[in-house]
Amino acid sequence: MNNMLTLALSKGRIFDETMPLLKAAGIEVLEDPEKSRKLILPTNHANVRVVLVRASDVPTYVQYGGADLGVTGLDTLIEHGTDGLYQPLDLQIAKCRMSVAVRSDFDYAAMVKQGARLKVATKYTTIARDFFATKGVHVDLVKLYGSMELAPLTGLADAIVDLVSTGNTLKANHLVEVERIMDISSRLVVNQAALKMKQADIRRIIDAFSAALPAAK
Ligand code: PRP
């Protein structure tokens, strides 16, 4: 097992958008995660395998060596923290942004100007806390695990901090984006000990991914 290279991915957009990068590295995953319930997927290389984990668990798997490397959103990475993780590449996939949104009838600018205390619901408490602290806005954070859009509609919060891609989810719920906090994309993360022990194999993957990125073309 010692020369086995394990890559942690989450199902959906990250998995789908990582496949072309793996292909550029000569690696093909032999099973479709949407059709199989397996959590360990073999590849065309006997010593390379993919493990499927929850998106928010990718940094944990890589940090503690359950996987040698993984692909995770910058949002997830910031919330988890980067201890023990080497981050060699911005893969420029699964792009979106982290934003503040409110009900369209809520005057966010006026509230901020008045120095009002805002109630903010989010899954991304670290990003939200840092953002509002830098702005000098006092906030009470309400931690949620999903469906953030519902919070301003039900009176649970004045604002949300959430990922926005097309903006369709906000629009469908009569919310408007009032601040863009940061651009988000997926990152390659590598276990620091694995990088030393399996340097040649990991370096080959980093180089192939890097050569396949839009900026390199
Ligand atoms: C994200 C986010 C929004 C939605 C935004 O959820 O939380 O709900 O996508 O996308 P849009 O701007 O294109 O409408 P996602 O589907 O990733 O699932 P999650 O709620 O589990 O994060």
Side-chain angles (χ1 to χ4, degrees):
M1 271 320 235
N2 250 350
N3 69 339
M4 177 63 83
L5 209 60
T6 302
L7 171 68
L9 295 176
S10 52
K11 271 206 243 184
R13 214 171 148 190
I14 286 182
F15 183 92
D16 298 344
E17 297 186 18
T18 301
M19 288 307 106
L21 296 172
L22 280 177
K23 206 163 183 183
I27 298 166
E28 300 209 30
V29 179
L30 300 177
E31 270 181 78
D32 179 351
E34 301 301 333
K35 290 189 184 134
S36 142
R37 299 190 69 94
K38 282 191 190 168
L39 298 175
I40 300 182
L41 308 178
T43 73
N44 60 333
H45 290 257
N47 70 328
V48 181
R49 63 182 185 175
V50 167
V51 292
L52 295 176
V53 304
R54 283 286 293 267
S56 51
D57 292 335
V58 168
T60 308
Y61 267 83
V62 178
Q63 177 182 5
Y64 297 112
D68 299 302
L69 58 176
V71 177
T72 183
L74 177 62
D75 51 325
T76 306
L77 189 57
I78 294 173
E79 292 298 322
H80 173 87
T82 56
D83 267 10
L85 296 173
Y86 172 61
Q87 312 152 57
L89 284 179
D90 177 351
L91 299 175
Q92 299 169 46
I93 59 172
K95 284 186 183 179
C96 54
R97 57 191 184 268
M98 187 67 73
S99 295
V100 181
V102 299
R103 272 166 63 148
S104 47
D105 58 2
F106 182 84
D107 195 344
Y108 174 80
M111 290 300 174
V112 167
K113 210 169 160 197
Q114 282 167 28
R117 205 174 173 89
L118 289 181
K119 206 173 221 194
V120 178
T122 187
K123 182 157 101 179
Y124 307 98
T125 48
T126 300
I127 293 173
R129 187 175 296 112
D130 288 355
F131 175 74
F132 287 109
T134 302
K135 253 181 99 69
V137 172
H138 293 286
V139 292
D140 292 315
L141 292 177
V142 180
K143 168 90 184 186
L144 290 178
Y145 293 87
S147 304
M148 263 86 85
E149 296 81 7
L150 202 52
L153 305 179
T154 54
L156 183 69
D158 303 313
I160 61 170
V161 167
D162 195 7
L163 296 173
V164 179
S165 176
T166 60
N168 289 339
T169 307
L170 292 183
K171 205 175 289 169
N173 291 292
H174 311 289
L175 300 179
V176 291
E177 193 177 357
V178 288
E179 305 246 28
R180 269 183 182 228
I181 300 179
M182 62 176 77
D183 288 328
I184 299 289
S185 57
S186 293
R187 310 299 162 109
L188 183 65
V189 288
V190 181
N191 176 279
Q192 282 176 351
L195 184 64
K196 294 197 188 102
M197 307 284 291
K198 306 174 184 180
Q199 195 158 27
D201 285 341
I202 291 177
R203 198 37 79 184
R204 205 172 301 124
I205 290 179
I206 293 173
D207 290 346
F209 278 18
S210 170
L213 297 182
K217 284 181 182 159

